[in-house]
């Protein structure tokens, strides 16, 4: 099978170059479409939804751009000579110098049915959508784990917006149909973060500080037990929020009793250790809570990116299954994003209540009495 070299490679015959990898099915769809257009250029009017960069093979994209740029030849004349093919080849070789006349004839020969050109284009469009979503998912996962970024959360959310926009664009191109749930299994549990010990320390500091300042717990409804990396810490936070809802007294001993009532005291957890953990406050609950939520948001973004990547890696996943699976994954990140917004947005300043002294005067009915000069005397 011929391979298209990079634009700066020598102008050797493509048929004589060895294969470097097994072509995917879309490669044959690209060959079939180009062969159909070279054989019957008028079928270009039936092609929609693809651009030169929609092709997985660079030379194929350059050839499609050349076909689209040149005026279609007269069908009768095209059947008699190869002038138009030579013009297409010359235009395409400006960007892909490895293209040869023999490869164009190969494309014509391997095209099963030129009248199926629109179907081949649809296959190319679907594969391009898959590659586009995968590229956005990769960038999302990489950005969420990039420790060198000075503002990781805004950068990660920007990549999430770009992924969501790509999903919406794909949805506009491919109508819904039945059986749309993706069959690809989700990736396994995420590996412990590199800063697992730092995360555990921050969670312990939050729990101790919240126990010392219970009035700060209720405003922190934006923090969920799912944001914690350690199961015991998640359970302790649930104990604190439960005591807050019941308006019960909160101190290390009352929290320890709530832990026992919830069955969290296992053989590996000593009561004295919990009392020590809850008795060492530092800083403010808001600060530690935001740190924990920030880590949870970035971890969720990484998992969303990896899940969408898994969908795109499955060749059996249809474009609309990609849409459904990706939107469900993005929705999970959106939920954490909303809570992050509540945690970091300043509280609105309440307006002062209006009193009789400060309330504006009510507008009375319009005056209908004529001025003295306009009155009519009897």
């Amino acid at each position: 099978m011929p391979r298209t070299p990079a634009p700066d490679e020598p102008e050797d015959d493509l048929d004589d170059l060895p294969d470097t990898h097994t072509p995917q099915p879309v490669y044959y769809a690209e060959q079939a479409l180009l062969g159909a257009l070279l054989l019957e250029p008028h079928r270009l009017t039936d092609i929609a939804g693809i651009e030169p960069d929609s092709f997985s093979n660079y030379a194929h994209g350059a050839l499609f751009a050349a076909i689209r740029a040149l005026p279609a030849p007269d069908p009768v004349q095209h059947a008699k000579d190869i002038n138009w093919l030579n013009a297409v080849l010359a235009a395409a070789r400006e960007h892909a110098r490895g293209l040869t006349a023999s490869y164009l004839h190969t494309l014509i020969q391997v095209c099963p049915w030129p009248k199926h050109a629109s179907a081949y284009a649809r296959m190319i469009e679907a594969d391009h959508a898959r590659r586009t979503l995968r590229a956005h998912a990769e960038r999302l996962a990489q950005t969420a784990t990039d420790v060198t970024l000075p503002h990781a959360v805004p950068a990660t959310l920007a990549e999430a917006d770009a992924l969501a926009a790509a999903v919406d664009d794909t949805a506009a191109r491919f109508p819904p149909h039945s059986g749309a749930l993706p069959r690809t299994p989700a990736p396994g549990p995420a590996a412990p973060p590199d800063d697992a010990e730092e995360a555990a320390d921050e969670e312990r500091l939050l729990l101790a500080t919240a126990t010392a300042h219970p009035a700060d717990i209720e405003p922190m409804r934006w923090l969920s037990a799912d944001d914690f990396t350690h199961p015991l810490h998640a359970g302790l936070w649930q104990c604190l929020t439960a005591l807050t809802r019941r308006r019960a007294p909160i101190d290390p001993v009352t929290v320890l009793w709530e832990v026992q009532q919830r069955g969290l005291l296992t053989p590996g957890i000593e009561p004295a250790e919990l009392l020590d953990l809850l008795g060492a406050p530092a800083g403010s609950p808001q600060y530690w809570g935001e740190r924990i939520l920030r880590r949870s948001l970035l971890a969720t973004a990484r998992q969303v990116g990896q899940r969408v990547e898994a969908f795109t890696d499955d060749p059996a996943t249809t474009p609309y299954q990609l849409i459904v699976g990706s939107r469900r994954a993005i929705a999970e990140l959106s939920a954490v994003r909303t809570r992050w917004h509540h945690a970091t947005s300043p509280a609105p300043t309440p307006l002062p209540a209006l009193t009789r002294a400060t309330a504006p005067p009510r507008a009375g009915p319009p005056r209908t009495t004529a001025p003295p000069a306009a009155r009519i005397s009897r």
Side-chain angles (χ1 to χ4, degrees), residues 142-342:
Q142 291 169 1
T143 304
T145 55
D146 189 350
V147 297
T148 65
L149 292 175
H151 305 289
V153 170
T156 299
L157 295 180
E159 293 296 342
D161 290 339
L163 173 59
V167 172
D168 291 341
D169 179 70
T170 303
R173 294 171 177 266
F174 295 90
H177 55 77
S178 59
L181 294 178
R183 298 182 295 269
T184 308
D194 296 334
D195 58 348
E197 187 57 37
E198 179 183 355
D201 288 340
E202 292 176 353
E203 292 172 4
R204 286 190 286 264
L205 287 169
L206 167 68
L207 295 169
T209 309
T211 302
H213 304 279
D216 294 338
I217 298 176
E218 186 171 3
M220 295 175 60
R221 295 179 181 178
W222 40 262
L223 189 64
S224 167
D226 294 334
D227 297 323
F228 290 75
T229 61
H230 197 288
L232 174 61
H233 299 164
L236 285 170
W237 181 249
Q238 289 177 323
C239 292
L240 284 167
T241 55
L243 290 171
T244 301
R245 287 194 301 269
R246 300 201 304 263
R247 303 288 188 240
I250 294 179
D251 60 40
V253 174
T254 60
V255 175
L256 177 62
W257 186 258
E258 184 73 14
V259 168
Q260 176 179 267
Q261 297 299 302
R262 289 174 173 263
L264 299 178
L265 282 178
T266 62
I269 302 175
E270 297 294 335
E273 294 178 357
L274 287 183
L275 290 175
D276 291 340
L277 183 157
L278 298 173
S284 69
Q286 174 81 19
Y287 173 80
W288 299 118
E290 287 187 13
R291 296 278 299 179
I292 293 169
L293 183 56
R294 177 184 182 276
R295 182 177 285 104
S296 176
L297 186 149
L298 295 176
T300 303
R302 181 183 70 249
Q303 294 167 5
V304 168
Q306 293 172 345
R307 190 179 309 175
V308 175
E309 283 186 57
F311 293 151
T312 60
D313 286 341
D314 186 353
T317 305
T318 67
Y320 195 70
Q321 287 174 328
L322 284 176
I323 296 167
V324 173
S326 299
R327 281 180 169 170
R328 289 190 174 188
I330 294 172
E332 296 181 10
L333 178 57
S334 297
V336 184
R337 181 178 190 167
T338 300
R339 294 192 287 114
W340 172 258
H341 177 74
H342 290 323

Side-chain angles (χ1 to χ4, degrees), residues 30 88-89 137 161 180:
E30 294 175 3
V88 169
L89 178 61
D161 290 339

Side-chain angles (χ1 to χ4, degrees), residues 354-366:
L354 294 178
T355 63
R356 285 185 174 273
T358 61
R362 295 178 58 186

Side-chain angles (χ1 to χ4, degrees), residues 9 15 21 35 58 60 74 92 132 150 158 193 196 198 214 265 276 285-286 289 319 356-357 374:
E9 289 186 9
D15 293 328
H21 63 279
Y58 178 84
H60 288 173
D74 177 74
T132 300
E198 179 183 355
L265 282 178
D276 291 340
Q286 174 81 19
R356 285 185 174 273

